[in-house]
Amino acid sequence: MAEKKRLTEDGLKKIEQELENLKTVRRKEIAEKIKLALSFGDLSENSEYDEAKNEQAIIEAKITQLEAMLKVVEVVDTSELSTDVVSVGSKVRIFDMDLEEEEEYQIVGSAEADPMENRISDESPLGKGLIGGRIDEEIDVEIPAGIMHLKILEISK
């Protein structure tokens, strides 16, 4: 059986919306592109047709991937999260003792990670290091660039 993918409720909604968009909007757009390209005639030298068919294949692969993921998804109920220990769905405010900076992250499943939005995967080095941590705990996290020395300041939902 496939490994469970953890998602927050927001992450699940986002993936469902993306899937719906691919199925209803993008499929129609590609069908129109293919129809238009076919009207140009000779398919052997029709780059518009080739491009549209490639785009169609990419979209169909993405739909298949998202549908497969949704079959093995485990939704994390953030209302039941403890604020005593870091887990998937937790928001964590930390202090980087080397850089002397505070940061806040939300620990999420790998499918909804977005480092630019400070949403880090529970499978990333930082995410793994924070999972199970408690307030005021100092932890060392091994990342590709070296060791991060962190202190957990706050855990919230």
Side-chain angles (χ1 to χ4, degrees):
M1 186 175 177
E3 182 182 327
K4 288 276 187 196
K5 291 283 185 188
R6 291 190 197 135
L7 290 175
T8 62
E9 191 67 42
D10 288 344
L12 177 62
K13 285 178 188 168
K14 207 177 207 179
I15 288 173
E16 288 173 337
Q17 288 169 348
E18 180 182 2
L19 181 58
E20 186 65 21
N21 180 56
L22 288 171
K23 285 180 161 184
T24 58
V25 177
R26 296 291 292 140
R27 268 184 176 162
K28 286 180 185 170
E29 290 173 356
I30 295 302
E32 287 300 316
K33 281 186 181 180
I34 292 171
K35 187 176 173 183
L36 179 64
L38 284 171
S39 72
F40 296 149
D42 186 11
L43 294 182
S44 66
E45 294 183 20
N46 191 331
S47 63
E48 289 87 358
Y49 177 78
D50 291 340
E51 188 177 315
K53 289 299 280 182
N54 286 338
E55 197 173 341
Q56 180 184 43
I58 291 168
I59 286 172
E60 292 303 322
K62 184 69 175 174
I63 288 170
T64 302
Q65 175 193 18
L66 292 176
E67 287 176 337
M69 182 191 311
L70 289 174
K71 288 179 182 175
V72 294
V73 76
E74 176 185 328
V75 179
V76 176
D77 186 352
T78 54
S79 68
E80 294 182 8
L81 286 178
S82 166
T83 55
D84 295 333
V85 65
V86 178
S87 59
V88 174
S90 295
K91 290 182 182 171
V92 186
R93 193 165 54 87
I94 60 170
F95 181 74
D96 185 322
M97 294 184 285
D98 295 324
L99 299 177
E100 296 186 3
E101 292 179 349
E102 279 188 27
E103 289 283 341
E104 184 170 281
Y105 297 100
Q106 182 175 15
I107 310 297
V108 296
S110 61
E112 60 182 307
D114 184 352
M116 300 305 288
E117 297 289 325
N118 286 357
R119 296 168 59 85
I120 58 171
S121 168
D122 61 331
E123 297 174 13
S124 69
L126 181 56
K128 282 182 186 175
L130 290 171
I131 297 273
R134 298 181 178 277
I135 294 173
D136 291 330
E137 185 176 347
E138 293 184 11
I139 57 173
D140 291 335
V141 178
E142 189 173 339
I143 60 170
I147 304 284
M148 291 178 75
H149 305 286
L150 308 172
K151 182 174 184 174
I152 299 174
L153 303 176
E154 182 182 357
I155 302 169
S156 60
K157 296 180 184 183

